[in-house]
Structures are given as structure tokens and as C-alpha cells.
Amino acid sequence: MSEAQPPILPRIRDSFARQTMMQTLGATLIAGADGICVIRAPVLPGLRQQQGAGHAGLTFSLGDTAAGYAALNVMPEGVEVMTAEIKINLLSPAVGDMLEARGEVLRAGRRLIVVRAEIWALTGERRKSIALMQGTMIPVDLA
Amino acid sequence: MSEAQPPILPRIRDSFARQTMMQTLGATLIAGADGICVIRAPVLPGLRQQQGAGHAGLTFSLGDTAAGYAALNVMPEGVEVMTAEIKINLLSPAVGDMLEARGEVLRAGRRLIVVRAEIWALTGERRKSIALMQGTMIPVDLA
Amino acid sequence: MSEAQPPILPRIRDSFARQTMMQTLGATLIAGADGICVIRAPVLPGLRQQQGAGHAGLTFSLGDTAAGYAALNVMPEGVEVMTAEIKINLLSPAVGDMLEARGEVLRAGRRLIVVRAEIWALTGERRKSIALMQGTMIPVDLA
Amino acid sequence: MSEAQPPILPRIRDSFARQTMMQTLGATLIAGADGICVIRAPVLPGLRQQQGAGHAGLTFSLGDTAAGYAALNVMPEGVEVMTAEIKINLLSPAVGDMLEARGEVLRAGRRLIVVRAEIWALTGERRKSIALMQGTMIPVDLA
């Protein structure tokens, strides 16, 4: 992608690396700072629905994770976040060379962080929006 | 589970078998008829979030699939369903011997099928509700 | 309705009486205890959408309020609740002699209360489900 | 507001005028064309929750209506739209001189129109986002 991405905070990188699901999905962390997180993953053969497109669960997993790390990067050190609830509207089948999920923070409160994510299918130079998510993350103090 | 489950319709079984995602998740189809679908899967080591619980994407994938097949089994032959939108409220971490997702049809219209799913973590004899989903499936005529 | 309803807690009754919106909607509190709240209202002429059915905002207002008071009645004294988020699936037009909303608590956590509501249109002896809601209330300590 | 608003299509204006709910809420149609709709309303004394802020049902009604007319203005003549489902995240209490809801179309399909709405409280020159909505409208052919 030609546009500049924000960098990746070390604690986002570390937490992402501990998510075995991201490895199973073949996902790569592209950006994670300033209330934004971008993740990319191919539509691996083992992650399909019955007609060969990517499973809704793949699209959801990427969007939810991007939204969660968008939230995490506005939290103080030592605080984790969890998804309280999230909704996905699926716009088009997950078919393409690669999926890209971009999460962003819409409102960071003390108790609730409202987030949004969009997921695109990338095919050559083409970029098609396939899903929109809106949800709530909650901070979890691990100390 | 000691309570009787509905049987599994052949086209549910066939469609489920074509979802490679279900194999990657280690999921088993337990019931699929009469507007109900039940799926079970372990929390495999490769499907975890950063703290070792099952990833929200795992819980979502099982619930969405159970809700989809609940909808499919009230559709005429030759019609598939797709998720238009679905929302998940996560109640507890996905930790246990096994996860069980149960999807059901709440309203089957001509154009929209409103569905619900609940997901439990099963640990020994204990059964803990970990997530609730509510969404919309749409029929897709493949003919 | 012939089935017994739970009673109404005094603080539910008091809070409901302070909601001027409920008076504008012509709403009556039918039950409010034990994690359940039931509200009824007619489809007043001033609350319609463009085709003469009750506005989605009417259905939502009744369901959200029923869900909120269901949550309130499991909270300790001195704590209020607010809606953090809620989703509605509309099943049928709001047409009938009366609407009835029933809210219930699905999970009461320390920080989040997950709720559900169903809304019916009552016409003579007939009872038709017109909407389903699922959402999150948060406790607000007023002290 | 100093920024230019899109004009108002005649059929949006006509349909809005038939919604008695909009009159009860004191709502005014500000813009309705090009996949966008903007509505404003004061927080009337009869539309409050128990603590004196605008009721969530007021915020919802404005956002849902703005989203619906955003969808309507991309539909062919003779087609109406209905809300199939919509979700609201409430960010702040509805307190201010005026509320403004802006609906927009995110994806207009043949069978489903995915929409978003944002609602702000306007106080003097200040503009505070109080709610975000994401949902699905369906076309209804009245012919």
C-alpha cells in the first residue's frame, strides 16, 4: 500500500505474537499505533466456507483483532483489552489475494472503548470493502 | 449431553463437510434439523488469544456456523444461506474441555431469516454460557 | 395477560415515573422485579412512521426501557444503569391494539449487564413478536 | 452549520412529513439527497430519561430515520425502505441545545442497504458525538 502506515508499538507486536490464532490465519501485523491497527492475511485453503470464499469467522477474526489492538494502543501500559461485544455487517464474499482489516478507536472512555473495523479484499490493485464492524472493548487491568 | 438432539439433515452434513474452516477448528456437527444446529469443537492450541483462552474468532465462527445451518435447515432444497450481519456479546473467556454452539431460527421470512446462537464452554459436567449472538441470514438461490 | 407477572420494585416504579418519554409514549409499567421488566403502550397516532405503523423508535424505546429496568432490578440500591449499546432486529410492523416489551437479564457482571428484550404486538387474543433486542447496560454509581 | 448540505429530494420531504413521530419529536429535515440525510431536533421536555437527558429512544429515532432516508434516496421511485436491523452504541448523554443525526449509505445492494448514522449534541458552537449506529435497510416495493 502506498500510503504511510503508523508504526507498531512494541506491546502490540508482543501481544499479537502471543495470539496463536493469528499464526493459524497466516496474519501479519502491518500497523499498530495512534488508535489504529492494520492486519493482513491471505484466504488460506483451510479457512473457507462451503463455497470456497473465506469463512465469515476469518473476516471477523481479523476485524476483531484489529479493533482490539486499535483499542489497546490507547490504553496505559499494563492494561489489556477484551471484546465485550461487536457486530459485523458482511458486504461481499471474502475472495481475493489478501484480506486487510483496519481497526480504529471511535471513543476511548474510562470503562468502554468504542471501536470500528473495516475489512477489504485486495486483488491486484483493487480494494473491495467486504465487511464493517462496530463494537465495544473493555480495559482489563492485569496488575 | 444426555438430552436428545435433533438428527442431521444430509444437506447440512454435506455443506458442513465442505467448510474447510470447520476442519481447521476441529469442529463436529452434533445436530442439524428442525431449525436447530449444534456444533462442538475443542479449544485447539492454534486458536488462542494472547492470554491462552480461545480467540473470539473461534467462538464467533462456531456460533455463526451453527446459526447459518439452523437457517439452512428451514430453507427449501437448492437454496443456500449467507450471513448478512450478526452481533456477538462475549460473556466469559472461552476456556474449557470443549465449546458447544447452538443456533436457532427465530423468524424465517421470505427474504430474511433472523437467528440466534448461544455458545457454552463445557468442562466436565459443567456448562457455562460464554457468548450470545443475534443476526440475520439471507437465502441465496444457487439455481 | 393471564400469566402471573412479577411485582414492581418501588425504585423501578419511581424511576419509570421520572422518564417523561414513557408518558409521551403512553407507556405503563406492568412488571419490574427478579431481572424481568414488562412495559405496555398503545401505538399512539403521534408515534407512527410514514405508512401508519408504529415507528421503529417507539418499538426501540419500549424494548430499551424494559431491558434497562430488567438490569436495574438486579443492581444494588443507589446504582443506576445506562445503555452502552443495543441492537434491534425488526421482525414485523408495529401494528396492533397494544405493544408489549419484555426485558430480561442474561448475565449480570460487575461492569456489564447483558440484556435481551422482545417486543410483541397484541391484537385481541393474538400476540405477534415484532422485534428482538440484545444489548449491554452499564451500572452508574450516583453516590 | 456553515458547511453546505445536500438538498432535499421531494419524496424524502413527503415521506418525512407523513411520519407523525418526527412531528412529536419536533424534528426538522435538513438534508436528504446523494445517499445522505440530516435531521435535527431539540431535546423536548417530554422525551427525557429519568435523569433529564434525552431518552435513548429519541437518539435512536433520529438516527434510524436519518439512516432510512439516506437509504431511500438511493432507491428508485416507488420503492420504500424498512429497517431490518440496526445497532446503536451510545457514547454520551443526549444533552444540548439540539441533536443532529446524519445517516449515510455504506453499501447499496439489490436486497440490502447497509447504513451508518452518527448523532451529535449541539451546544452553542460545540458539537459532541453522542451515538453511532450501523444497520441494514431493506427495499420494499409498494407497487
Side-chain angles (χ1 to χ4, degrees):
Chain A
M1 209 159 77
S2 54
E3 39 175 321
Q5 298 284 3
I8 302 174
L9 297 181
R11 63 197 170 108
I12 305 286
R13 191 186 296 279
D14 292 350
S15 180
F16 187 90
R18 289 199 306 276
Q19 290 212 17
T20 59
M21 177 65 114
M22 290 300 105
Q23 297 155 31
T24 297
L25 303 185
T28 304
L29 184 60
I30 304 292
D34 305 332
I36 298 292
C37 177
V38 179
I39 294 171
R40 284 198 197 156
V43 183
L44 293 176
L47 306 173
R48 309 281 172 90
Q49 38 88 299
Q50 72 280 4
Q51 295 171 312
H55 196 279
L58 166 61
T59 305
F60 176 92
S61 297
L62 297 174
D64 174 67
T65 304
Y69 285 126
L72 183 59
N73 73 52
V74 300
M75 291 288 105
E77 294 278 347
V79 174
E80 287 265 9
V81 300
M82 288 193 333
T83 306
E85 59 83 28
I86 197 158
K87 185 218 193 201
I88 187 165
N89 283 78
L90 292 156
L91 307 177
S92 293
V95 176
D97 299 335
M98 186 70 73
L99 303 182
E100 181 176 297
R102 184 182 189 278
E104 64 179 311
V105 171
L106 299 172
R107 177 69 60 91
R110 194 170 47 84
R111 297 198 294 168
L112 304 176
I113 305 112
V114 178
V115 291
R116 182 179 285 165
E118 184 161 4
I119 301 94
W120 293 268
L122 313 182
T123 307
E125 296 295 302
R126 190 162 168 250
R127 189 177 176 82
K128 182 173 190 181
S129 180
I130 62 166
L132 293 157
M133 299 172 70
Q134 184 177 304
T136 308
M137 299 284 157
I138 51 170
V140 181
D141 196 330
L142 300 179
Chain B
M1 209 160 78
S2 54
E3 40 176 319
Q5 298 283 5
I8 302 174
L9 297 182
R11 64 199 169 107
I12 305 287
R13 191 185 298 279
D14 293 348
S15 181
F16 186 90
R18 288 199 305 276
Q19 290 212 16
T20 59
M21 177 66 112
M22 291 300 105
Q23 297 155 33
T24 297
L25 303 185
T28 305
L29 184 62
I30 304 292
D34 305 332
I36 299 291
C37 177
V38 179
I39 294 171
R40 284 197 197 157
V43 183
L44 293 177
L47 307 173
R48 309 283 172 87
Q49 38 88 297
Q50 72 281 5
Q51 295 171 312
H55 196 278
L58 165 61
T59 304
F60 176 92
S61 297
L62 297 174
D64 173 66
T65 304
Y69 285 126
L72 182 60
N73 73 51
V74 300
M75 290 290 104
E77 293 278 348
V79 173
E80 287 265 8
V81 300
M82 288 192 335
T83 306
E85 60 82 27
I86 197 158
K87 185 219 192 199
I88 187 166
N89 283 79
L90 293 156
L91 307 176
S92 292
V95 177
D97 300 335
M98 186 71 73
L99 303 183
E100 181 176 299
R102 184 182 190 278
E104 64 180 311
V105 171
L106 299 173
R107 176 69 59 91
R110 193 170 48 85
R111 297 197 293 168
L112 304 176
I113 305 113
V114 178
V115 291
R116 182 179 284 166
E118 185 161 4
I119 301 94
W120 294 269
L122 313 182
T123 307
E125 296 295 301
R126 188 160 170 252
R127 189 177 176 81
K128 182 174 192 180
S129 181
I130 63 166
L132 292 158
M133 299 172 70
Q134 183 177 305
T136 308
M137 300 284 158
I138 51 169
V140 182
D141 196 330
L142 299 179
Chain C
M1 208 162 76
S2 53
E3 39 175 319
Q5 298 282 6
I8 301 175
L9 298 180
R11 63 196 169 107
I12 305 286
R13 191 185 298 280
D14 293 349
S15 180
F16 187 90
R18 289 198 308 275
Q19 290 212 16
T20 60
M21 176 66 110
M22 291 299 105
Q23 296 154 33
T24 297
L25 303 185
T28 305
L29 184 60
I30 304 291
D34 306 332
I36 298 292
C37 177
V38 179
I39 295 170
R40 283 197 198 157
V43 182
L44 293 176
L47 306 173
R48 309 283 172 89
Q49 38 88 297
Q50 71 281 6
Q51 294 172 312
H55 197 279
L58 166 60
T59 304
F60 176 92
S61 296
L62 297 173
D64 174 66
T65 304
Y69 285 126
L72 183 59
N73 73 51
V74 301
M75 291 289 104
E77 292 279 347
V79 174
E80 287 265 9
V81 300
M82 289 193 332
T83 305
E85 59 83 27
I86 197 158
K87 185 216 190 199
I88 186 166
N89 282 78
L90 293 155
L91 307 177
S92 293
V95 176
D97 300 336
M98 187 70 73
L99 302 183
E100 180 177 298
R102 184 182 191 277
E104 64 178 313
V105 171
L106 298 173
R107 175 69 61 89
R110 193 170 48 83
R111 297 197 293 168
L112 304 176
I113 305 112
V114 178
V115 291
R116 183 180 284 166
E118 184 161 4
I119 301 95
W120 294 268
L122 313 182
T123 307
E125 297 294 303
R126 188 161 170 252
R127 188 179 178 81
K128 182 173 189 180
S129 181
I130 63 165
L132 292 158
M133 299 172 70
Q134 183 177 304
T136 309
M137 300 284 159
I138 50 171
V140 182
D141 196 331
L142 300 178
Chain D
M1 208 160 75
S2 52
E3 39 176 319
Q5 298 283 5
I8 301 175
L9 297 181
R11 63 198 169 108
I12 305 286
R13 191 185 298 280
D14 293 349
S15 180
F16 186 90
R18 289 198 307 275
Q19 290 212 15
T20 60
M21 176 66 112
M22 291 300 105
Q23 297 155 33
T24 297
L25 302 185
T28 304
L29 185 61
I30 303 292
D34 305 332
I36 298 292
C37 177
V38 179
I39 295 171
R40 284 196 197 157
V43 183
L44 293 176
L47 307 173
R48 309 282 173 89
Q49 38 88 298
Q50 72 280 5
Q51 295 172 313
H55 196 280
L58 166 60
T59 304
F60 177 91
S61 296
L62 297 174
D64 174 66
T65 304
Y69 285 126
L72 183 59
N73 73 52
V74 301
M75 291 288 106
E77 293 278 348
V79 174
E80 287 265 8
V81 300
M82 289 193 333
T83 305
E85 59 83 26
I86 196 158
K87 184 217 191 199
I88 187 166
N89 283 78
L90 292 156
L91 307 177
S92 292
V95 177
D97 300 335
M98 186 70 74
L99 302 183
E100 180 177 298
R102 184 182 190 277
E104 64 179 312
V105 171
L106 299 173
R107 176 68 60 93
R110 193 171 47 85
R111 298 196 292 168
L112 305 176
I113 305 113
V114 178
V115 292
R116 182 180 284 166
E118 185 160 4
I119 302 96
W120 293 269
L122 313 181
T123 307
E125 297 294 303
R126 190 162 168 250
R127 188 177 177 82
K128 182 174 190 179
S129 180
I130 63 166
L132 293 158
M133 299 172 70
Q134 183 177 304
T136 308
M137 300 283 159
I138 51 170
V140 181
D141 196 331
L142 300 178

